[in-house]
Structures are given as structure tokens and as C-alpha cells.
Amino acid sequence: EAGQAVPASQKSSWAAFIKTIASFSGDLSSLTAPPFILSPISLTEFPAYWCERPELFSAIADAKDEEDRSLRVLRWFISTLKGQYTSRNESMGSEKKPLNPVLGELFFGYWPDKNGRGQTDLAVEQVSHHPPITAYYISNKSKGLALQGHSAQKTSFSSGSIIVKQIGHAVLTVKLPDGGEERFVITLPKLRIDGIWYGSPYIELTDTSYIQSSSGWLSTIEYKGRGYFSGKSHQFKASVSAPGASSATHVFEGLWHTTSKDSKTNVPFTDVTCPKEEVTVAPIDAQDEWESRRLWAAVARGIREGDFETASREKSKIENEQRQRRRDEQAAGTRWELRHFRHLDNDPVYEKLVKICKSITPSTEDTYEFLCNVPPVGNEK
Ligand code: HCR
């Protein structure tokens, strides 16, 4: 039955919301949605999904050679997908509409050093509001690892599903024992949000994404839903090929939200059935006023407690303050200054590596360079 997961009092506003998105293409996050579908978490928190298995991230530093490094990067990447794309269903029952970050919103956190894996730090800044663009930097200094990326989305509607094309990419830099560096350009899958009609959205990944290394090793990851490689949801097949090779040296297949294995040897490759580790953040009153959980505290409380009147009043306060800020800047002829990232029109690493993998498009992209100026979070440093 249509709208079966929608509370009776919100059925008509859900129908109106679907009607709006069906004829809409662009920035979905700015649309007003009915309360039952709202999440109390801002999109600036999402980059944390990259590192909720910190030991897999740090293990990249222990690779014995370029081939091994590409396999470890792939294992870590595949293991992030469950968190990135199914965790709202697990914690809130369905995909939800995240809070739309304001320009300059920040999110800082870390995963502490345990068992010699080193500390991993996370810094996120909302670098654009319209369209929403989130820049992030995740680093494990003691292991010589850094992931820099930005994320934006283009949405459209097709056959009852929301199609989300991810814009942006990430670059992983690995410091090598000989003093050199290896870089990996990581592109992102396409999303299809199904279950809209029933009021119970969930994500399926589609198309192909790539991890191209500066060593020449390439991972090509194909995503399929129910009824393709097998009858199951969340399937992937990753082919890893040596520099310049036309056929794959390794092929891994399985489900990105549970397990996968080497297709030839059946040796297990990924397993994300064990719990992940959430990022540690400073207590709210010790946070900067622009930090996400402090900025949205009253709105998030309203959504969590079902007090949508308060949530909506507090959200309007933030939005009105933002509008006033933009008007003041315009009047003064000034612009909002980013605090921790600098926008560059071109990303030379991306542009060099996509010349090796011609399937990656577009051939040029902009980037947000991290300024390495974030104060330590918490007291574990
Ligand atoms: C599309 C989406 C906002 C963007 C979210 C992204 C793509 C952000 C980058 C992360 O690395 C991965 C990620 C996961 C999310 O699944 C994806 C969100 C899902 C829904 C949300 C829309 C703007 C809201 C649509 C409203 C629906 C649920 C009715």
C-alpha cells in the first residue's frame, strides 16, 4: 500500500512532497519534508563514515608493495559502504532527510590510538550552502595517511526513485618508507533511493566507481541490486588490474553490507558484520559555535523528542540568521571566508590520474585543499 510507513497525519504532506520531487531536479536538501522523514543529523557528519573501521584505514600503511596497497585500499573502501549507505536504516528505520548544513558549519572528531593503529583525525567544513558542498580531511599522521575530498550531489527522479549522482572525489595520500608518496583517486558510486512511495526510503548503489593509484594499479567496482549477479541487494564486483593490464589480477565479489570473497580462491575479502566504531567528538559545550552538534542542538532535540514545532522554529532561527549574514556580506561587499579549506579550480592529482583511467569522468575537477589548521579535539593528544 502506498505510504504504508507514513504516519496517518502526514500522508497528505508526504504525497505533496513526492509530487514536488517528481518534477524537481537539483538541490533536494533545501525542500521542506514532513517530520517523520527528518533526521537530527547534519550532512557535515557524513564524512565520518569513511573511517568507522579505523584499523582497516591504518592497515593501508603496512602494505608490502603497490599491489598489496591497492588491495588494502579497496578493502577499506568497500568496508565503508555499509556505514555510508545503510546506517540510517539501521539506526532510524529508513533513509532520512539529513539536516542541510549552513555555510561554514564544522564537524571535528577523532578515533583514538588503539593496538598501535595510531590516532585518526577528522575535519569537515561546509564549503558551500547552495549547492551544498562538504569538504573533509581524514588523517592518521603516525601512519602517514591522509584522505582529502569533497562531496556534492545532483538529484533527479526516475520511475519512482530518487537518483543521486555524486559530485566530487577523494584523494588518498600514502607516505612511503622511502620518502615518496603514492596517491589514489577515489570516485563515488551513483545512488538510487527506492521505497519512496511507501514512505520507507532505502539506498541501492548502481553504476561503477574507480580507485586509480599513481602506481598504475586500478580497482573497478561495479554495483548491482537485486536480480543482477544474484538475487540479493547491495552486490558488488571489484576487479583489480595491474598497471596497463587489460584483464584483472584479482576479482572480489559479494555484498558490501555483509561479506565478500576472492572469486577465484574463495578467500574472505571483506566482513563488516562486526560493530563499527563511531567518531569521538568534544562535549557540546566545549565545541565551537559553528560545530554541527552545537549549532543544531535545539533542532536535533526537537526532532528526537517529536517536538516538531520547536524543531521548525529553531531551524527557522538558524536559516534567518544565515540570510541576514548573506545580506550583510553583500552590503559590505565581502564574502564568507572558509576557515580550514581553500578552494582550487583544478586538482592536479585528479587530473593526472584520470589520464591513466580514461573511464573516469569528468577529466578535470576542482578541489578543496585542507589548511592543516584545526586545533586538537578532546584530550587524547
Ligand atoms: C542523497 C542524500 C544526501 C547525500 C548523502 C550522501 C551521498 C552524502 C555523502 C556520503 O558520503 C554518502 C551519502 C549518503 C546518503 O545516503 C546520501 C543522502 C540520502 C538522502 C539524502 C537526500 C538529500 C534526502 C532525500 C530525502 C528522502 C529520504 C525523502
Side-chain angles (χ1 to χ4, degrees):
E1 181 212 337
Q4 65 193 19
V6 183
S9 60
Q10 295 175 42
K11 284 203 188 248
S12 59
S13 62
W14 183 241
F17 182 69
I18 299 182
K19 224 172 146 186
T20 317
I21 54 180
S23 55
F24 177 86
S25 159
D27 177 8
L28 253 194
S29 44
S30 61
L31 296 179
T32 305
F36 84 95
I37 205 74
L38 302 180
S39 153
I41 298 164
S42 159
L43 258 189
T44 53
E45 294 206 23
F46 282 41
Y49 294 130
W50 282 107
C51 223
E52 292 182 321
R53 296 179 191 275
E55 65 295 339
L56 291 181
F57 187 58
S58 74
I60 295 168
D62 304 327
K64 60 177 191 298
D65 55 25
E66 294 168 342
E67 176 178 1
D68 187 26
R69 211 153 21 247
S70 275
L71 296 180
R72 287 169 186 247
V73 171
L74 177 64
R75 179 179 291 115
W76 155 72
F77 173 78
I78 298 290
S79 303
T80 71
L81 300 177
K82 180 186 180 189
Q84 304 260 20
Y85 303 109
T86 69
S87 54
R88 279 79 54 200
N89 295 65
E90 285 184 1
S91 60
M92 300 186 267
S94 82
E95 186 58 79
K96 299 269 174 177
K97 187 172 180 291
L99 295 169
N100 188 18
V102 303
L103 178 60
E105 187 173 325
L106 304 169
F107 186 69
F108 301 134
Y110 66 99
W111 291 264
D113 182 12
K114 268 187 207 166
N115 309 321
R117 70 184 187 194
Q119 173 160 318
T120 302
D121 294 299
L122 167 71
V124 184
E125 182 165 358
Q126 189 68 16
V127 292
S128 168
H129 176 65
H130 227 14
I133 306 176
T134 310
Y136 52 90
Y137 187 81
I138 300 173
S139 59
N140 183 326
K141 251 195 187 156
S142 64
K143 300 281 176 182
L145 299 169
L147 179 79
Q148 179 175 280
H150 67 280
S151 161
Q153 299 86 39
K154 254 199 184 129
T155 52
S156 55
F157 198 75
S158 166
S159 318
S161 302
I162 299 173
I163 309 295
V164 182
K165 183 175 171 353
Q166 297 205 66
I167 315 282
H169 64 277
V171 173
L172 172 68
T173 303
V174 183
K175 283 204 173 118
L176 303 175
D178 66 4
E181 280 180 349
E182 188 174 335
R183 314 259 194 170
F184 296 80
V185 160
I186 303 172
T187 69
L188 304 163
K190 198 181 240 183
L191 277 58
R192 205 181 61 229
I193 310 180
D194 290 331
I196 302 284
W197 187 243
Y198 302 101
S200 162
Y202 63 93
I203 286 175
E204 188 54 275
L205 299 181
T206 69
D207 272 22
T208 309
S209 76
Y210 301 92
I211 305 178
Q212 175 65 62
S213 166
S214 54
S215 71
W217 282 87
L218 168 70
S219 296
T220 302
I221 309 141
E222 292 171 76
Y223 305 89
K224 301 277 187 233
R226 219 189 292 276
Y228 285 88
F229 304 135
S230 80
K232 298 182 177 144
S233 307
H234 304 340
Q235 303 165 62
F236 79 94
K237 180 176 175 181
S239 311
V240 184
S241 41
S246 55
S247 61
T249 310
H250 305 271
V251 178
F252 302 100
E253 275 174 286
L255 307 178
W256 48 259
H257 66 308
T258 55
T259 58
S260 68
K261 56 187 187 188
D262 185 307
S263 311
K264 287 179 214 146
T265 62
N266 278 339
V267 171
F269 183 57
T270 54
D271 182 351
V272 287
T273 54
C274 53
K276 55 186 185 145
E277 199 178 317
E278 279 189 20
V279 65
T280 302
V281 300
I284 290 204
D285 28 321
Q287 290 184 11
D288 184 285
E289 58 178 326
W290 287 93
E291 273 186 78
S292 192
R293 289 193 193 169
R294 179 158 172 190
L295 181 81
W296 291 105
V299 178
R301 196 177 317 117
I303 294 175
R304 285 204 173 95
E305 293 173 358
D307 179 358
F308 298 110
E309 229 177 272
T310 304
S312 143
R313 193 179 53 244
E314 294 296 329
K315 183 166 162 278
S316 299
K317 262 195 215 162
I318 294 175
E319 287 166 351
N320 291 338
E321 197 272 341
Q322 284 288 310
R323 280 189 207 107
Q324 189 55 46
R325 230 173 238 279
R326 300 288 91 82
R327 279 195 288 266
D328 292 348
E329 282 162 7
Q330 211 173 15
T334 57
R335 285 187 67 180
W336 177 263
E337 297 278 343
L338 299 182
R339 276 166 69 174
H340 304 291
F341 291 85
R342 180 167 50 145
H343 182 246
L344 301 174
D345 288 334
N346 293 84
D347 181 346
V349 178
Y350 176 88
E351 285 163 19
K352 193 168 159 198
L353 294 191
V354 301
K355 283 197 181 112
I356 308 179
C357 178
K358 299 275 185 301
S359 309
I360 301 180
T361 53
S363 56
T364 66
E365 279 235 311
D366 61 347
T367 187
Y368 291 86
E369 184 184 55
F370 184 56
L371 300 175
C372 296
N373 58 354
V374 171
V377 182
N379 52 13
E380 300 206 19
K381 289 189 186 175

